[in-house]
Amino acid sequence: MKFFKLIAIVWISASVFVLQAQVDGRYYLNQGLKLYNAKNYDEAINSLRRSLSVDSSQRKAYHLLAYSYLQLKNWTEAQRFAELGLMRYDQDARLYWLLGESQLQQSNFKDALSSYLRVEKEAGETAPKKNTDLKKRLGQCYSHLGTQAMEAEEKTKAILYFKKANQYLKNDAFTYVNLTLAYGRANEWRESLNTAESGLRLFPKNIALTQAKATAQYQIEDYENLLDSFKKLHLLQPEDLKVAITYGELLMSRQQYVSAAEHYNKLLTDYPKEKSIYESLIHIHESKLYYEGKVEVLNKMLNHFEKVNIYERITETYEIIENWSAARAYYDTLTVLAPEKTSSYQLKIASHYVEEDSLSQAIMILRSLAQKFPNDDEILNELGLAQEKAGVWSEALRSYQRLLEIKATSEVITRLGTAYRKTHHDAEAIHNYRRALAKEKNAEAMLGLSMLIKSSQRDSSINLALDAFQLCFEKLRELEDQLNNRLNGDKSLNSLISNKELLTEIKAVEQRATESFYHLSSYPARQVAPLLLALTQTFPLSARIHYLVAEYEFNRNKKKESEALLSRSIRLDPNREEAHKLLGSLYIDQGDEHNAILSFERCLALNNQQHELYGYLIHLYENTGRLDLLCRKWLIHYNASQEKETIKPHLIEALHKAGRYEEAQQIIQGS
């Protein structure tokens, strides 16, 4: 009986102990909850930890501890208590949520993603914050993982992650931006464009998406729509200067020069010191060949930028349009602003006078410069050239003699030789030509030497002339290839002006080649005719050579051979006007008036300034009884032409000869 009582007492004591523990655990839990709600997280944590030390089965304590540590930004402890809770309650969606929150804050994006996905799995439709925060967190995890994949150059994986993020965050513009960028990194520009457009349907004013769309359009060369995208970008962020300038550039690329100019002029109001805007306006004016407009822009720049450079650009512009007097006026100003450059400016002024054929003024300036700078090879060179052009060869000779002491190049020695030849010092000329050729082959020395030894060493003279021609022709072909590469199909006046120096060199070499050919043709035909004909075999694709040989044969009365060569020249280059003209003359000699008319009309279509051809055509149409037809043709051309004055006198003559006096009178009166 005593034993039974003892057992009963022990049992009762144990029950009381368990009951007391449960009471204490709930007490500390409730205390912790109150402190948590009061945002006293440190005290809440103390109570909750005591609660678990008394009774570790209290699920809510794990929740509250993890929440409290999250509030204190102690991510590792938050994670630890979420994981401890999950060891007991491995299907608790809330604990998975808290675990995900702590992992996300520690940038453990893969682990966080797994935790959030477990929330979705365990709780189903009852998951905490299912329709708001959970989707947001899943989207954030996928976004972060996509960014990591991008940084690791795992482009396919990045696209997959960003697509997932986009599914969860359909109302987040940034997920569309990320996906467009990922497609772009993978060079999938069509997908990038489609994604950007999808995003813009939801966020039509989003700048990043508009930029992404523009980038994709640029990559697929959709330039027309690219212009619209940049127009929108400019409207969305008018303060972004880079976007504004690019929009203007796109307007220019679409040749919308008026709109581009208006756009840039508006920008200048807000950015008067932005140099790129002025440069764009200058480019617009150059594209339209409106050089006065370019000068206006440069004058506006004077208030904001270094004046010497601007004035130099203005003078260069006037030089391009050959307004030499205006250019000289600016050089006068420059000599005051930059006196240290006076000599170079005066050299430029002298070159203007040379261009105007005011050679005495050019020579006067150059002489003065040569006295101040006796060892300046550029000044002496320009002085010699001006004296050559003026025909004062004795003075040119002295200039080249002085130049030779400074710069003994093949070119200088050759010019000295030519000066000796022009002043009838043949022995000195021959000596210098040979000296020049010993240094370097050049056509001028070859041709000059050939002329001097023509009577004494005919065979050598012929060979030298032939070599001079071939050397010129090879150089000419090289220069023309260079010009074509620069023009790249753009043969507009603006492109030609920008290559003025190259065109001048081509003209000079062509003139030397022609001189060499005509010198060759002055020898007896029995010696040079076979050599000249052989040139067409050496250069079978040269329209120029076929024309020159055709002209040679025409002058020798070899009309049949000339016709064949001219036809070949025209097939090689239909735009060779002199070939059409000579062929027309050949047809006249043959009595073939119909083909003569065709040739002369083709020639005029290429160059309407050849006034003698109008007379030939009037005569030919009159002979064939078709003068009325010619009048009708020329009336149509006259009414449609912007160069009426060219054809006007010839049209009046044709109308008079056709007896159409009233029409002729109307043309005369300009009605």
Side-chain angles (χ1 to χ4, degrees), residues 97 100-102 104-105 109 112-113 116 129 132-144 168-169:
W97 169 266
E101 292 289 278
S102 60
L104 181 64
Q105 293 297 337
F109 302 121
L113 177 63
Y116 289 128
K129 311 194 181 191
T132 55
D133 287 356
L134 181 57
K135 285 187 177 182
K136 181 180 178 181
R137 291 294 190 266
L138 286 166
Q140 286 175 336
C141 288
Y142 280 119
S143 290
H144 286 300
Y168 282 104
L169 301 173

Side-chain angles (χ1 to χ4, degrees), residues 245-412:
I245 289 173
T246 304
Y247 174 53
E249 289 171 352
L250 288 169
L251 285 169
M252 288 194 292
S253 71
R254 303 298 298 170
Q255 296 185 343
Q256 297 182 25
Y257 294 122
V258 174
S259 297
E262 290 175 354
H263 171 70
Y264 282 127
N265 279 317
K266 286 179 184 176
L267 284 180
L268 276 182
T269 304
D270 296 322
Y271 305 98
K273 294 184 179 181
E274 180 56 47
K275 192 172 183 182
S276 61
I277 299 174
Y278 293 99
E279 297 297 344
S280 295
L281 281 167
I282 286 169
H283 179 71
I284 290 169
H285 291 314
E286 286 179 335
S287 299
K288 297 190 297 180
L289 303 181
Y290 181 39
Y291 289 99
E292 290 294 342
K294 176 184 174 182
V295 170
E296 288 175 13
V297 175
L298 287 167
N299 276 316
K300 288 179 182 179
M301 294 175 73
L302 287 170
N303 295 325
H304 307 290
F305 305 101
E306 199 270 319
K307 285 184 168 54
V308 170
N309 176 261
I310 304 300
Y311 277 124
E312 285 178 343
R313 292 180 67 181
I314 293 172
T315 58
E316 288 167 6
T317 305
Y318 280 126
E319 286 171 340
I320 288 171
I321 59 177
E322 300 185 356
N323 187 340
W324 308 116
S325 59
R328 285 196 294 274
Y330 277 96
Y331 276 129
D332 288 339
T333 302
L334 280 165
T335 56
V336 176
L337 293 174
E340 71 281 3
K341 294 184 177 182
T342 296
S343 60
S344 63
Y345 296 147
Q346 287 182 327
L347 193 58
K348 285 281 192 180
I349 291 171
S351 71
H352 296 174
Y353 284 123
V354 170
E355 292 288 346
E356 290 179 319
D357 285 330
S358 301
L359 298 171
S360 59
Q361 289 174 285
I363 291 169
M364 182 176 65
I365 294 170
L366 291 165
R367 276 181 188 153
S368 175
L369 286 171
Q371 288 173 358
K372 291 179 184 176
F373 307 99
N375 296 320
D376 190 308
D377 58 295
E378 185 180 5
I379 292 171
L380 287 170
N381 184 64
E382 292 300 319
L383 177 57
L385 290 173
Q387 290 163 334
E388 269 193 36
K389 193 172 181 181
V392 286
W393 285 100
S394 58
E395 294 181 21
L397 178 61
R398 288 194 293 273
S399 295
Y400 290 137
Q401 285 171 334
R402 288 166 59 196
L403 181 58
L404 186 63
E405 296 172 5
I406 303 166
K407 188 178 179 182
T409 63
S410 176
E411 182 182 8
V412 172

Side-chain angles (χ1 to χ4, degrees), residues 584 588 593-605 607-608 610-631 633-634 647 650 653-654 657:
I588 287 178
E593 294 177 327
H594 173 72
N595 279 321
I597 288 171
L598 290 177
S599 293
F600 288 146
E601 287 183 334
R602 286 168 184 157
C603 185
L604 278 177
N607 181 2
N608 65 0
Q610 301 199 54
H611 294 279
E612 73 277 12
L613 295 187
Y614 291 100
Y616 289 155
L617 285 170
I618 290 171
H619 175 72
L620 289 167
Y621 271 98
E622 192 173 24
N623 275 1
T624 55
R626 297 185 298 159
L627 199 52
D628 278 332
L629 174 61
L630 179 65
C631 290
K633 283 184 179 181
W634 283 2
I647 194 174
H650 309 295
E653 180 185 354
K657 288 193 173 182

Side-chain angles (χ1 to χ4, degrees), residues 182-210:
Y183 278 127
R185 288 281 288 276
N187 290 321
E188 296 182 30
W189 294 108
R190 288 285 177 188
E191 289 297 327
S192 181
L193 178 60
N194 292 338
T195 303
E197 288 178 335
S198 296
L200 284 167
R201 282 193 284 273
L202 296 172
F203 313 100
K205 293 184 179 181
N206 186 276
I207 293 172
L209 282 173
T210 309

Side-chain angles (χ1 to χ4, degrees), residues 7-23:
I7 292 173
I9 290 168
V10 169
W11 182 86
I12 291 168
S13 299
S15 299
V16 170
F17 175 79
V18 170
L19 181 61
Q20 184 64 43
Q22 288 174 342
V23 168

